[in-house]
Amino acid sequence: MMLAGPAPSAAQGRRNQRNEQRQQRQQQQHHAGDWLRRYKNLPPDQQQRALENDPQFRNLPPERQQRLRERLQRFSSLPPQQQDRILNRMETWEHLTPEQKQQARQLYSQIKDLPPARRRMMQTAIRGLRQMPPEQRQQVLESERFKSMFSPQERDLLTGISRLPLAPPEGGQSEPPEE
């Protein structure tokens, strides 16, 4: 007589839970951008081979694999300075809390909706603010110069962004997130 095993849904639930736990352990062991940092100096064909041979990549659905191939190709075509900027942003993003990530998405979505000329001004201001200590950022945001350059809505966006841990300036070190 055969004993009945657990119901398929219960077995599937345990498998899903084990997979989630394994993914969480892997994420804790790796930092955002580790793979790119490791392989960024290889020629593009060798990067593609390394990606194809990566066990985590192989476990992804085909459409996700294709998106990652395209993103790697785009990343590899960028100048080294721009690659470093992207890697720094990935590292900064990894250390944001879920609430900070949501806030950042909302703020940058609002900036994206601005007319191109205003969006460029905002991006320039963000780059400048990124290079300042937090106290100086606040002084600049409250300055008459900024009040004359930016609308109240734009200053609110800049203030919100300046309260998030910002990626480090070009060639600089990031300040630790405030706790």
Side-chain angles (χ1 to χ4, degrees):
M1 174 182 199
M2 284 189 56
L3 295 174
S9 61
Q12 183 64 40
R14 284 194 300 278
R15 255 192 309 272
N16 288 343
Q17 187 176 17
R18 282 194 303 267
N19 285 339
E20 287 176 15
Q21 289 170 345
R22 183 174 46 238
Q23 286 175 343
Q24 287 173 351
R25 280 193 306 273
Q26 288 171 345
Q27 288 173 351
Q28 291 169 354
Q29 294 170 354
H30 300 288
H31 284 284
D34 277 352
W35 193 96
L36 285 172
R37 276 185 178 79
R38 189 173 316 123
Y39 295 103
K40 77 176 191 162
N41 294 323
L42 291 178
D45 62 324
Q46 290 180 22
Q47 289 176 345
Q48 287 291 338
R49 262 197 307 278
L51 183 65
E52 299 292 336
N53 291 326
D54 187 280
Q56 287 180 301
F57 176 80
R58 289 179 162 178
N59 289 332
L60 296 172
E63 60 277 357
R64 178 80 174 120
Q65 289 180 2
Q66 185 57 37
R67 281 197 310 270
L68 285 175
R69 283 185 198 102
E70 291 166 3
R71 290 176 77 183
L72 176 60
Q73 189 174 15
R74 233 181 343 227
F75 179 83
S76 298
S77 69
L78 298 172
Q81 186 178 14
Q82 205 167 348
Q83 289 179 0
D84 289 341
R85 187 169 43 238
I86 288 169
L87 291 168
N88 287 338
R89 287 181 184 158
M90 290 172 72
E91 179 74 19
T92 299
W93 183 260
E94 178 183 28
H95 294 285
L96 296 180
T97 66
E99 295 79 19
Q100 288 173 321
K101 288 178 182 178
Q102 181 60 35
Q103 182 184 14
R105 284 185 193 103
Q106 290 171 344
L107 291 166
Y108 282 100
S109 172
Q110 291 175 40
I111 289 174
K112 189 177 171 188
D113 292 340
L114 293 172
R118 298 306 298 168
R119 187 172 50 239
R120 280 191 297 275
M121 281 188 69
M122 295 285 285
Q123 290 166 336
T124 299
I126 292 166
R127 278 192 297 276
L129 291 168
R130 180 181 293 139
Q131 297 184 34
M132 299 175 193
E135 318 77 54
Q136 188 181 3
R137 284 183 203 155
Q138 194 57 43
Q139 288 175 350
V140 169
L141 287 165
E142 294 171 1
S143 71
E144 289 304 317
R145 181 174 155 260
F146 256 52
K147 288 178 182 176
S148 68
M149 289 175 61
F150 298 104
S151 72
Q153 176 202 8
E154 291 169 337
R155 286 196 317 275
D156 286 347
L157 291 172
L158 290 168
T159 298
I161 289 169
S162 74
R163 290 188 178 138
L164 293 171
L166 297 173
E170 303 298 307
Q173 293 296 314
S174 179
E175 63 193 41
E178 295 177 10
E179 304 209 16

